[in-house]
Amino acid sequence: MILAVIIACEVGFWVAIVLGLTARYLMKMPRLGVALLACAPVVDLVLLIATAVHLRSGADASWEHGLAALYIGFSIAYGHRLIAWADTKFAQRFAGGAAPVKLYGRDYARACLKDLGRTTLAVAISATLLQSLIWWAGDADRTQALTSWFGTLGIIFTIEVIRSVGYTIWPRRAPAAAA
């Protein structure tokens, strides 16, 4: 059941974004667009409540509950950036906006370090949610599946550190100009 809620929330997140940008750029209703875009974080709240209620009602924790905590953490940390990216692409396609700027060199390395900060925040939020769900369920035996997610968070964080450090030491180069 919880997996269906996660999928519905992910779909709902993107539907809110697409509807908000459609209202903003195609329907020329910027206030409605902002209101619809503001619904994207509400989806995370719905998922958090559904996960907590499901565990509190006596369900055994499974990998899906851990995935919900991971999804919420990353959605909170990266949500604004995802919406900004979608806004730029939508404006380019439907409102004559500028194309997104490709970053290279130090600018790209700086962006990678910002992503490291976002990933650190996402991992911290996810870990806090996992621990809170374990506490909320009140039964360590039923929530054992959640503890394995702490290792997954460590792996995600380690990969992001390696990526960020790698692009800081060896910056991404701009492609050679076509002759």
Side-chain angles (χ1 to χ4, degrees), residues 16-53:
I17 291 171
V18 169
L19 289 176
L21 296 174
T22 299
R24 177 183 284 174
Y25 292 109
L26 299 180
M27 298 168 59
K28 307 291 187 215
M29 301 173 77
R31 285 187 176 169
L32 177 61
V34 168
L36 290 168
L37 288 171
C39 290
V42 173
V43 172
D44 294 334
L45 182 61
V46 168
L47 179 58
L48 179 60
I49 291 169
T51 303
V53 167

mmCIF file of all heavy atoms in Angstrom, residues 16-53:
data_model
loop_
_atom_site.group_PDB
_atom_site.id
_atom_site.type_symbol
_atom_site.label_atom_id
_atom_site.label_comp_id
_atom_site.label_asym_id
_atom_site.label_seq_id
_atom_site.Cartn_x
_atom_site.Cartn_y
_atom_site.Cartn_z
ATOM 1 N N ALA A 16 1.641 18.855 -10.002
ATOM 2 C CA ALA A 16 1.529 20.201 -9.432
ATOM 3 C C ALA A 16 2.473 21.167 -10.138
ATOM 4 O O ALA A 16 2.101 22.307 -10.433
ATOM 5 C CB ALA A 16 1.816 20.167 -7.926
ATOM 6 N N ILE A 17 3.685 20.712 -10.420
ATOM 7 C CA ILE A 17 4.656 21.574 -11.105
ATOM 8 C C ILE A 17 4.198 21.894 -12.523
ATOM 9 O O ILE A 17 4.196 23.055 -12.942
ATOM 10 C CB ILE A 17 6.057 20.925 -11.100
ATOM 11 C CG1 ILE A 17 6.608 20.908 -9.675
ATOM 12 C CG2 ILE A 17 7.009 21.672 -12.038
ATOM 13 C CD1 ILE A 17 7.879 20.120 -9.511
ATOM 14 N N VAL A 18 3.800 20.872 -13.274
ATOM 15 C CA VAL A 18 3.371 21.095 -14.664
ATOM 16 C C VAL A 18 2.131 21.976 -14.713
ATOM 17 O O VAL A 18 2.048 22.904 -15.530
ATOM 18 C CB VAL A 18 3.136 19.746 -15.384
ATOM 19 C CG1 VAL A 18 2.445 19.953 -16.718
ATOM 20 C CG2 VAL A 18 4.464 19.020 -15.582
ATOM 21 N N LEU A 19 1.173 21.724 -13.821
ATOM 22 C CA LEU A 19 -0.028 22.569 -13.803
ATOM 23 C C LEU A 19 0.312 24.006 -13.409
ATOM 24 O O LEU A 19 -0.228 24.963 -13.983
ATOM 25 C CB LEU A 19 -1.073 21.995 -12.851
ATOM 26 C CG LEU A 19 -1.766 20.709 -13.297
ATOM 27 C CD1 LEU A 19 -2.712 20.212 -12.210
ATOM 28 C CD2 LEU A 19 -2.499 20.910 -14.614
ATOM 29 N N GLY A 20 1.203 24.175 -12.445
ATOM 30 C CA GLY A 20 1.611 25.519 -12.038
ATOM 31 C C GLY A 20 2.302 26.271 -13.157
ATOM 32 O O GLY A 20 2.025 27.458 -13.394
ATOM 33 N N LEU A 21 3.182 25.602 -13.859
ATOM 34 C CA LEU A 21 3.881 26.259 -14.967
ATOM 35 C C LEU A 21 2.959 26.494 -16.158
ATOM 36 O O LEU A 21 3.081 27.507 -16.858
ATOM 37 C CB LEU A 21 5.097 25.431 -15.379
ATOM 38 C CG LEU A 21 6.180 25.314 -14.302
ATOM 39 C CD1 LEU A 21 7.278 24.364 -14.735
ATOM 40 C CD2 LEU A 21 6.746 26.683 -13.951
ATOM 41 N N THR A 22 2.017 25.589 -16.369
ATOM 42 C CA THR A 22 1.027 25.787 -17.429
ATOM 43 C C THR A 22 0.175 27.018 -17.127
ATOM 44 O O THR A 22 -0.079 27.846 -18.014
ATOM 45 C CB THR A 22 0.139 24.540 -17.575
ATOM 46 O OG1 THR A 22 0.964 23.430 -17.935
ATOM 47 C CG2 THR A 22 -0.941 24.743 -18.623
ATOM 48 N N ALA A 23 -0.256 27.144 -15.884
ATOM 49 C CA ALA A 23 -1.046 28.321 -15.502
ATOM 50 C C ALA A 23 -0.223 29.592 -15.663
ATOM 51 O O ALA A 23 -0.719 30.605 -16.145
ATOM 52 C CB ALA A 23 -1.541 28.180 -14.061
ATOM 53 N N ARG A 24 1.039 29.536 -15.277
ATOM 54 C CA ARG A 24 1.899 30.716 -15.340
ATOM 55 C C ARG A 24 2.182 31.156 -16.772
ATOM 56 O O ARG A 24 2.058 32.337 -17.102
ATOM 57 C CB ARG A 24 3.207 30.429 -14.623
ATOM 58 C CG ARG A 24 4.201 31.591 -14.706
ATOM 59 C CD ARG A 24 5.509 31.274 -14.062
ATOM 60 N NE ARG A 24 5.356 31.348 -12.616
ATOM 61 C CZ ARG A 24 6.290 31.025 -11.743
ATOM 62 N NH1 ARG A 24 7.451 30.579 -12.157
ATOM 63 N NH2 ARG A 24 6.084 31.144 -10.462
ATOM 64 N N TYR A 25 2.557 30.224 -17.628
ATOM 65 C CA TYR A 25 3.033 30.596 -18.960
ATOM 66 C C TYR A 25 1.996 30.471 -20.069
ATOM 67 O O TYR A 25 1.976 31.294 -20.978
ATOM 68 C CB TYR A 25 4.273 29.766 -19.332
ATOM 69 C CG TYR A 25 5.448 30.123 -18.473
ATOM 70 C CD1 TYR A 25 5.920 29.239 -17.519
ATOM 71 C CD2 TYR A 25 6.082 31.351 -18.595
ATOM 72 C CE1 TYR A 25 6.997 29.568 -16.710
ATOM 73 C CE2 TYR A 25 7.166 31.685 -17.794
ATOM 74 C CZ TYR A 25 7.611 30.794 -16.851
ATOM 75 O OH TYR A 25 8.662 31.120 -16.052
ATOM 76 N N LEU A 26 1.163 29.460 -20.031
ATOM 77 C CA LEU A 26 0.206 29.277 -21.118
ATOM 78 C C LEU A 26 -1.125 29.967 -20.852
ATOM 79 O O LEU A 26 -1.737 30.512 -21.771
ATOM 80 C CB LEU A 26 -0.019 27.782 -21.373
ATOM 81 C CG LEU A 26 1.221 26.989 -21.789
ATOM 82 C CD1 LEU A 26 0.880 25.530 -22.007
ATOM 83 C CD2 LEU A 26 1.851 27.590 -23.027
ATOM 84 N N MET A 27 -1.576 29.946 -19.615
ATOM 85 C CA MET A 27 -2.851 30.552 -19.278
ATOM 86 C C MET A 27 -2.695 32.004 -18.829
ATOM 87 O O MET A 27 -3.690 32.682 -18.606
ATOM 88 C CB MET A 27 -3.546 29.732 -18.194
ATOM 89 C CG MET A 27 -3.860 28.306 -18.640
ATOM 90 S SD MET A 27 -4.368 27.209 -17.287
ATOM 91 C CE MET A 27 -5.810 28.036 -16.663
ATOM 92 N N LYS A 28 -1.441 32.452 -18.652
ATOM 93 C CA LYS A 28 -1.135 33.829 -18.213
ATOM 94 C C LYS A 28 -1.820 34.160 -16.885
ATOM 95 O O LYS A 28 -2.370 35.235 -16.693
ATOM 96 C CB LYS A 28 -1.541 34.850 -19.275
ATOM 97 C CG LYS A 28 -0.984 34.582 -20.653
ATOM 98 C CD LYS A 28 0.488 34.796 -20.701
ATOM 99 C CE LYS A 28 0.963 34.686 -22.143
ATOM 100 N NZ LYS A 28 2.251 34.111 -22.297
ATOM 101 N N MET A 29 -1.766 33.208 -15.955
ATOM 102 C CA MET A 29 -2.358 33.375 -14.631
ATOM 103 C C MET A 29 -1.273 33.101 -13.582
ATOM 104 O O MET A 29 -1.226 32.021 -12.988
ATOM 105 C CB MET A 29 -3.541 32.425 -14.449
ATOM 106 C CG MET A 29 -4.642 32.633 -15.478
ATOM 107 S SD MET A 29 -5.926 31.382 -15.371
ATOM 108 C CE MET A 29 -6.819 31.943 -13.945
ATOM 109 N N PRO A 30 -0.380 34.085 -13.361
ATOM 110 C CA PRO A 30 0.767 33.836 -12.483
ATOM 111 C C PRO A 30 0.392 33.511 -11.035
ATOM 112 O O PRO A 30 1.069 32.705 -10.393
ATOM 113 C CB PRO A 30 1.580 35.125 -12.575
ATOM 114 C CG PRO A 30 0.682 36.147 -13.171
ATOM 115 C CD PRO A 30 -0.370 35.422 -13.934
ATOM 116 N N ARG A 31 -0.664 34.105 -10.514
ATOM 117 C CA ARG A 31 -1.053 33.810 -9.129
ATOM 118 C C ARG A 31 -1.518 32.365 -8.975
ATOM 119 O O ARG A 31 -1.177 31.687 -8.010
ATOM 120 C CB ARG A 31 -2.147 34.759 -8.655
ATOM 121 C CG ARG A 31 -1.635 36.128 -8.340
ATOM 122 C CD ARG A 31 -2.719 36.962 -7.723
ATOM 123 N NE ARG A 31 -2.185 38.259 -7.347
ATOM 124 C CZ ARG A 31 -2.922 39.267 -6.986
ATOM 125 N NH1 ARG A 31 -4.238 39.140 -6.949
ATOM 126 N NH2 ARG A 31 -2.368 40.414 -6.653
ATOM 127 N N LEU A 32 -2.309 31.900 -9.925
ATOM 128 C CA LEU A 32 -2.742 30.506 -9.910
ATOM 129 C C LEU A 32 -1.526 29.593 -10.048
ATOM 130 O O LEU A 32 -1.431 28.558 -9.386
ATOM 131 C CB LEU A 32 -3.745 30.230 -11.037
ATOM 132 C CG LEU A 32 -4.216 28.782 -11.168
ATOM 133 C CD1 LEU A 32 -4.917 28.317 -9.901
ATOM 134 C CD2 LEU A 32 -5.130 28.634 -12.390
ATOM 135 N N GLY A 33 -0.584 29.997 -10.898
ATOM 136 C CA GLY A 33 0.640 29.220 -11.070
ATOM 137 C C GLY A 33 1.406 29.067 -9.776
ATOM 138 O O GLY A 33 1.848 27.970 -9.425
ATOM 139 N N VAL A 34 1.548 30.145 -9.027
ATOM 140 C CA VAL A 34 2.245 30.094 -7.745
ATOM 141 C C VAL A 34 1.489 29.199 -6.761
ATOM 142 O O VAL A 34 2.097 28.398 -6.042
ATOM 143 C CB VAL A 34 2.440 31.517 -7.167
ATOM 144 C CG1 VAL A 34 2.902 31.464 -5.725
ATOM 145 C CG2 VAL A 34 3.420 32.302 -8.013
ATOM 146 N N ALA A 35 0.170 29.318 -6.747
ATOM 147 C CA ALA A 35 -0.637 28.495 -5.840
ATOM 148 C C ALA A 35 -0.480 27.008 -6.169
ATOM 149 O O ALA A 35 -0.334 26.170 -5.268
ATOM 150 C CB ALA A 35 -2.103 28.899 -5.923
ATOM 151 N N LEU A 36 -0.475 26.680 -7.447
ATOM 152 C CA LEU A 36 -0.306 25.282 -7.835
ATOM 153 C C LEU A 36 1.104 24.779 -7.544
ATOM 154 O O LEU A 36 1.291 23.643 -7.105
ATOM 155 C CB LEU A 36 -0.650 25.106 -9.320
ATOM 156 C CG LEU A 36 -2.143 25.255 -9.654
ATOM 157 C CD1 LEU A 36 -2.348 25.371 -11.156
ATOM 158 C CD2 LEU A 36 -2.937 24.102 -9.087
ATOM 159 N N LEU A 37 2.093 25.620 -7.766
ATOM 160 C CA LEU A 37 3.474 25.240 -7.444
ATOM 161 C C LEU A 37 3.651 25.028 -5.935
ATOM 162 O O LEU A 37 4.428 24.184 -5.504
ATOM 163 C CB LEU A 37 4.462 26.284 -7.949
ATOM 164 C CG LEU A 37 4.666 26.337 -9.467
ATOM 165 C CD1 LEU A 37 5.498 27.549 -9.855
ATOM 166 C CD2 LEU A 37 5.292 25.070 -9.985
ATOM 167 N N ALA A 38 2.910 25.796 -5.160
ATOM 168 C CA ALA A 38 2.975 25.647 -3.698
ATOM 169 C C ALA A 38 2.379 24.316 -3.234
ATOM 170 O O ALA A 38 2.630 23.888 -2.109
ATOM 171 C CB ALA A 38 2.263 26.809 -3.021
ATOM 172 N N CYS A 39 1.618 23.671 -4.092
ATOM 173 C CA CYS A 39 1.044 22.359 -3.734
ATOM 174 C C CYS A 39 2.097 21.249 -3.760
ATOM 175 O O CYS A 39 1.896 20.201 -3.140
ATOM 176 C CB CYS A 39 -0.091 21.999 -4.688
ATOM 177 S SG CYS A 39 -1.556 23.013 -4.459
ATOM 178 N N ALA A 40 3.205 21.461 -4.452
ATOM 179 C CA ALA A 40 4.234 20.416 -4.545
ATOM 180 C C ALA A 40 4.751 19.994 -3.163
ATOM 181 O O ALA A 40 4.835 18.789 -2.886
ATOM 182 C CB ALA A 40 5.359 20.870 -5.462
ATOM 183 N N PRO A 41 5.099 20.931 -2.266
ATOM 184 C CA PRO A 41 5.546 20.492 -0.940
ATOM 185 C C PRO A 41 4.447 19.833 -0.103
ATOM 186 O O PRO A 41 4.743 19.023 0.786
ATOM 187 C CB PRO A 41 6.029 21.776 -0.264
ATOM 188 C CG PRO A 41 6.193 22.770 -1.339
ATOM 189 C CD PRO A 41 5.287 22.354 -2.447
ATOM 190 N N VAL A 42 3.199 20.150 -0.386
ATOM 191 C CA VAL A 42 2.084 19.546 0.346
ATOM 192 C C VAL A 42 2.066 18.035 0.102
ATOM 193 O O VAL A 42 1.724 17.252 0.987
ATOM 194 C CB VAL A 42 0.742 20.198 -0.064
ATOM 195 C CG1 VAL A 42 -0.442 19.479 0.547
ATOM 196 C CG2 VAL A 42 0.744 21.669 0.319
ATOM 197 N N VAL A 43 2.488 17.632 -1.092
ATOM 198 C CA VAL A 43 2.547 16.213 -1.429
ATOM 199 C C VAL A 43 3.489 15.484 -0.466
ATOM 200 O O VAL A 43 3.213 14.364 -0.030
ATOM 201 C CB VAL A 43 2.990 16.037 -2.893
ATOM 202 C CG1 VAL A 43 3.244 14.588 -3.234
ATOM 203 C CG2 VAL A 43 1.940 16.623 -3.831
ATOM 204 N N ASP A 44 4.617 16.124 -0.119
ATOM 205 C CA ASP A 44 5.557 15.524 0.827
ATOM 206 C C ASP A 44 4.911 15.337 2.194
ATOM 207 O O ASP A 44 5.127 14.323 2.858
ATOM 208 C CB ASP A 44 6.814 16.390 0.972
ATOM 209 C CG ASP A 44 7.624 16.441 -0.299
ATOM 210 O OD1 ASP A 44 7.537 15.489 -1.102
ATOM 211 O OD2 ASP A 44 8.351 17.430 -0.491
ATOM 212 N N LEU A 45 4.143 16.319 2.608
ATOM 213 C CA LEU A 45 3.453 16.230 3.895
ATOM 214 C C LEU A 45 2.448 15.072 3.888
ATOM 215 O O LEU A 45 2.358 14.323 4.861
ATOM 216 C CB LEU A 45 2.756 17.554 4.205
ATOM 217 C CG LEU A 45 2.033 17.637 5.537
ATOM 218 C CD1 LEU A 45 3.024 17.446 6.691
ATOM 219 C CD2 LEU A 45 1.314 18.971 5.663
ATOM 220 N N VAL A 46 1.739 14.907 2.797
ATOM 221 C CA VAL A 46 0.783 13.801 2.674
ATOM 222 C C VAL A 46 1.513 12.461 2.794
ATOM 223 O O VAL A 46 1.073 11.557 3.511
ATOM 224 C CB VAL A 46 0.016 13.886 1.333
ATOM 225 C CG1 VAL A 46 -0.765 12.608 1.045
ATOM 226 C CG2 VAL A 46 -0.911 15.095 1.320
ATOM 227 N N LEU A 47 2.647 12.352 2.115
ATOM 228 C CA LEU A 47 3.419 11.109 2.171
ATOM 229 C C LEU A 47 3.941 10.832 3.579
ATOM 230 O O LEU A 47 3.886 9.700 4.065
ATOM 231 C CB LEU A 47 4.578 11.151 1.175
ATOM 232 C CG LEU A 47 5.478 9.920 1.141
ATOM 233 C CD1 LEU A 47 4.677 8.662 0.832
ATOM 234 C CD2 LEU A 47 6.587 10.115 0.126
ATOM 235 N N LEU A 48 4.422 11.864 4.242
ATOM 236 C CA LEU A 48 4.926 11.697 5.602
ATOM 237 C C LEU A 48 3.817 11.235 6.547
ATOM 238 O O LEU A 48 4.002 10.297 7.331
ATOM 239 C CB LEU A 48 5.541 13.006 6.107
ATOM 240 C CG LEU A 48 6.081 12.998 7.533
ATOM 241 C CD1 LEU A 48 7.183 11.947 7.682
ATOM 242 C CD2 LEU A 48 6.580 14.373 7.915
ATOM 243 N N ILE A 49 2.668 11.845 6.460
ATOM 244 C CA ILE A 49 1.540 11.472 7.313
ATOM 245 C C ILE A 49 1.091 10.041 7.012
ATOM 246 O O ILE A 49 0.867 9.241 7.929
ATOM 247 C CB ILE A 49 0.376 12.475 7.157
ATOM 248 C CG1 ILE A 49 0.774 13.827 7.755
ATOM 249 C CG2 ILE A 49 -0.903 11.938 7.791
ATOM 250 C CD1 ILE A 49 -0.177 14.956 7.431
ATOM 251 N N ALA A 50 0.996 9.696 5.734
ATOM 252 C CA ALA A 50 0.560 8.340 5.360
ATOM 253 C C ALA A 50 1.544 7.285 5.877
ATOM 254 O O ALA A 50 1.128 6.243 6.396
ATOM 255 C CB ALA A 50 0.421 8.233 3.845
ATOM 256 N N THR A 51 2.835 7.586 5.764
ATOM 257 C CA THR A 51 3.853 6.641 6.235
ATOM 258 C C THR A 51 3.785 6.480 7.748
ATOM 259 O O THR A 51 3.814 5.358 8.271
ATOM 260 C CB THR A 51 5.258 7.120 5.807
ATOM 261 O OG1 THR A 51 5.277 7.277 4.388
ATOM 262 C CG2 THR A 51 6.330 6.136 6.216
ATOM 263 N N ALA A 52 3.687 7.581 8.459
ATOM 264 C CA ALA A 52 3.640 7.530 9.916
ATOM 265 C C ALA A 52 2.381 6.815 10.410
ATOM 266 O O ALA A 52 2.455 5.986 11.323
ATOM 267 C CB ALA A 52 3.706 8.950 10.490
ATOM 268 N N VAL A 53 1.252 7.107 9.807
ATOM 269 C CA VAL A 53 -0.007 6.464 10.213
ATOM 270 C C VAL A 53 0.062 4.963 9.935
ATOM 271 O O VAL A 53 -0.375 4.146 10.754
ATOM 272 C CB VAL A 53 -1.215 7.120 9.503
ATOM 273 C CG1 VAL A 53 -2.472 6.292 9.646
ATOM 274 C CG2 VAL A 53 -1.434 8.528 10.037
#
